Amino acid sequence: MKIQLPDVAGKLHKYSLVGTPVASPNLTPDSARVLYSAAHVVSDPFGDHDPTGLANVDWAKTMEFRHYLAGMGMGIAEAMDTAQRGMGLDWNGALELIRRTKEELPDALVANGCGTDHLDPADAHTLDDVRRAYLEQVEAIQKVGGRLILMASRALAKVAKGPEDYIAVYRDVLAACDQPVILHWLGEMFDPQLAGYWGSDSFDTALETALAIIEENAAKVDGIKVSLLEAEKEIVMRRRLPEGVKMYTGDDFNYPELIEGDDQGYSHALLGIFDPLAPAAAYAVSKLSEGDAKSFRETLDPTVPLARHIFRAPTQYYKTGVVFLAWLNGFQDHFIMLNGAQSTRSLPYFTDCFKMADECGLLRDPDLAVERMGNMLKLYGV
């Protein structure tokens, strides 16, 4: 199968598809690693809303994708930044998403983003403001039976004066959690407003604060997701976690080596890239569960260039690549995003996404993908 694709100068070249779609087995609860996919949401393009206004979600298509993930045994990290949390999806929309997922998939492995995003950082003046915001979301999510991912807080980053403020707020919030939670260390490349999180711009100092919080509250912490895009930093932290506390890699650049691990440990995964990579991730970990590390790496290593491309700077716009591939793969009927975010990447970016996804076997219906890529090219005047 062939398609004419433009280069950066607009000149067309023939591209022949080469990939074989990945067939994914189902993961089981005793798989070698715990995998969460941070899942995207599908916009409703027919709603009469300004693209920068309130989220207008196609709930049927959004939930259909979650059934797909759960059907292959993937965990779902719900209402996270991949769902455009804070970039189109507000707290009310996030809570509705959490409620629907719990209702439709009561037995699935789901953890839900819990933050302070209904509190505008400009309106946050004290630690008590941040505490109240966190506790409001904790109560609301636990009321519908949801497990928590304590997301990093823009408001806390604004008002905290140092490490002790983070320790105090997390102590109080964790005390209100009825099940062990996943903590969330999101680097500023994902959200510039989180610069200096844990009270310091120094990784070494921030690490000590995060570890102090975990050690003080170990019974309330299932694990921590680290998204710093530097494998060495994650490994340093992983080796110092208390026994029983999991490391969930959030490193969308280096996930194969981190999940495989070394003789001193390994990482589980909570990744936005596992939205488009779900079948490859499930297959790879099924091989790892069989003791076949070679097949694990042979499956995931070729996906890294695609992941690095999708998450290239400005990294916070990676959601556009994720939703683009969901559209190519037939999980939604259009390529319109909350807040008009489909416009945050260029045509060459999309063209490279198409080719890299093909090479990895991540176009599940190549005929459909070629048709839709052709439609996009026409939209751009090709």
Side-chain angles (χ1 to χ4, degrees), residues 316-334:
Q316 65 264 37
Y317 299 132
Y318 76 85
K319 296 91 169 173
T320 301
V322 168
V323 176
F324 173 65
L325 290 179
W327 173 61
L328 288 186
N329 278 317
F331 293 113
Q332 52 197 81
D333 300 323
H334 58 83

Side-chain angles (χ1 to χ4, degrees), residues 71-93:
M72 68 178 73
M74 292 284 288
I76 299 167
E78 191 56 280
M80 300 291 288
D81 52 317
T82 304
Q84 293 183 248
R85 185 82 176 263
M87 294 182 69
L89 186 71
D90 65 6
W91 161 235
N92 289 329

Side-chain angles (χ1 to χ4, degrees), residues 183-186 197-198 203-215 221 223-228 230-243 245-250 258 262 264-267:
L183 300 180
H184 188 214
W185 186 349
L186 193 67
Y197 210 73
W198 307 120
F203 167 74
D204 291 335
T205 303
L207 172 64
E208 296 304 323
T209 304
L211 286 171
I213 290 169
I214 294 169
E215 289 163 1
V221 179
I224 182 167
K225 165 187 161 71
V226 174
S227 299
L228 301 177
E230 292 187 46
E232 296 78 10
K233 291 179 178 179
E234 180 176 316
I235 293 168
V236 166
M237 186 174 196
R238 185 173 76 196
R239 290 176 177 168
R240 294 185 57 191
L241 290 176
E243 185 175 356
V245 176
K246 300 181 186 71
M247 172 60 74
Y248 290 96
T249 186
L258 291 164
D262 54 33
Q264 297 183 56
Y266 54 80
S267 298

Side-chain angles (χ1 to χ4, degrees), residues 126-147:
T126 68
L127 294 181
D128 282 339
D129 292 336
V130 178
R131 262 190 209 92
R132 282 192 294 269
Y134 261 131
L135 292 173
E136 182 179 336
Q137 294 200 14
V138 167
E139 181 180 8
I141 296 170
Q142 291 185 161
K143 188 174 181 179
V144 299
R147 294 180 58 225

